[in-house]
Amino acid sequence: ERAEALFGEAYDIFKRYKNRRGMAFALNNLGGVMFLLGNVVGAQEKFFKGYQLHREVGDLTGTAHSLSALGNGALSEGNYEDAHQYYKEALTIRRNLGNQRGIADSLIDLASVEMNTGNGQKAEEYVDEALAIQERIGDKQGLTMSKVLKALAFLYREDYTMAEQYVVESLGL
C-alpha cells in the first residue's frame, strides 16, 4: 500500500511538470503494484493509461512494456485472446527496435498463453526461439525461466526424463 501511494505521488509530480513519459512510467509501476495486490481491474486501467501516454510521446520501449503488462493482466483473468494480442503487439515493437531481451520476454509471454490454451507445440516453438536469443545474449535469468517452461512442456507430454533434464539445467544457471 505504501508503494501504491508513492507511485501515485510520483505520478502527481510528473503531471505537475507535464512530463508525460514520467506519468506513463509512474502509471505502469502503480499498475504493477495494484496487480501484485490482486487488483487486476485497477491495474489494467493504469496499464492502459500508461500505454496511451507512451504512444502519445512516441516511446516505443515504454509502449511495448505497457502492452506486456496489459497482456499479463489479461492472462491472469483467463482472457487468452486479449493476452495473445497484447503480447504479439509488444513482440512486433521489440523486433522493430531490435531489443533482443524484450523479444525473448515477449516470446515467453506468448508461450505462456499457448500453454494455458493447450497448444504445447506452439508454446515450445516460442520457448525454443527465446532460448536461442537468451543463450546468444547471455541472459541467465531469462534462460532459467525458459528452461522451466521447456520442462513444463515435457511434463505435458509425460516425458519425465527430459522435463527433469531442463529443471536441473535451470537450477544450474
Side-chain angles (χ1 to χ4, degrees):
E1 291 173 8
R2 176 90 174 113
E4 202 170 353
L6 289 173
F7 284 120
E9 289 175 29
Y11 174 80
D12 291 339
I13 292 168
F14 287 126
K15 186 174 182 178
R16 187 174 324 127
Y17 290 99
K18 297 179 173 58
N19 182 335
R20 296 173 75 69
R21 187 171 188 208
M23 290 165 57
F25 173 80
L27 284 167
N28 277 345
N29 284 293
L30 181 56
V33 171
M34 294 171 84
F35 184 83
L36 291 173
L37 294 174
N39 183 356
V40 177
V41 172
Q44 288 295 83
E45 290 173 7
K46 301 301 183 202
F47 293 148
F48 188 73
K49 287 179 183 175
Y51 162 77
Q52 289 176 313
L53 285 168
H54 281 300
R55 286 194 50 110
E56 286 174 17
V57 300
D59 178 4
L60 294 176
T61 300
T63 299
H65 179 77
S66 293
L67 286 164
S68 289
L70 284 163
N72 292 341
L75 183 67
S76 75
E77 293 179 312
N79 190 340
Y80 303 123
E81 189 174 314
D82 284 354
H84 190 269
Q85 183 60 38
Y86 289 133
Y87 291 150
K88 276 295 240 196
E89 287 182 50
L91 176 61
T92 298
I93 292 169
R94 289 168 169 164
R95 283 193 196 280
N96 289 337
L97 292 172
N99 177 346
Q100 296 300 297
R101 177 168 279 149
I103 292 167
D105 289 346
S106 289
L107 290 166
I108 293 304
D109 289 340
L110 286 163
S112 296
V113 172
E114 297 298 342
M115 283 198 162
N116 276 287
T117 57
N119 191 353
Q121 183 172 347
K122 186 66 178 171
E124 209 170 335
E125 290 172 20
Y126 285 133
V127 171
D128 288 341
E129 188 177 349
L131 275 168
I133 292 168
Q134 291 159 335
E135 287 173 355
R136 190 173 66 249
I137 66 173
D139 179 6
K140 289 191 181 230
Q141 183 179 358
L143 276 167
T144 300
M145 182 63 174
S146 294
K147 288 184 183 278
V148 168
L149 283 173
K150 189 79 171 177
L152 286 173
F154 280 111
L155 280 175
Y156 285 132
R157 289 195 304 227
E158 297 183 6
D159 186 339
Y160 303 111
T161 302
M162 290 302 294
E164 180 182 22
Q165 176 184 327
Y166 277 96
V167 168
V168 170
E169 285 180 22
S170 75
L171 294 173
L173 296 171

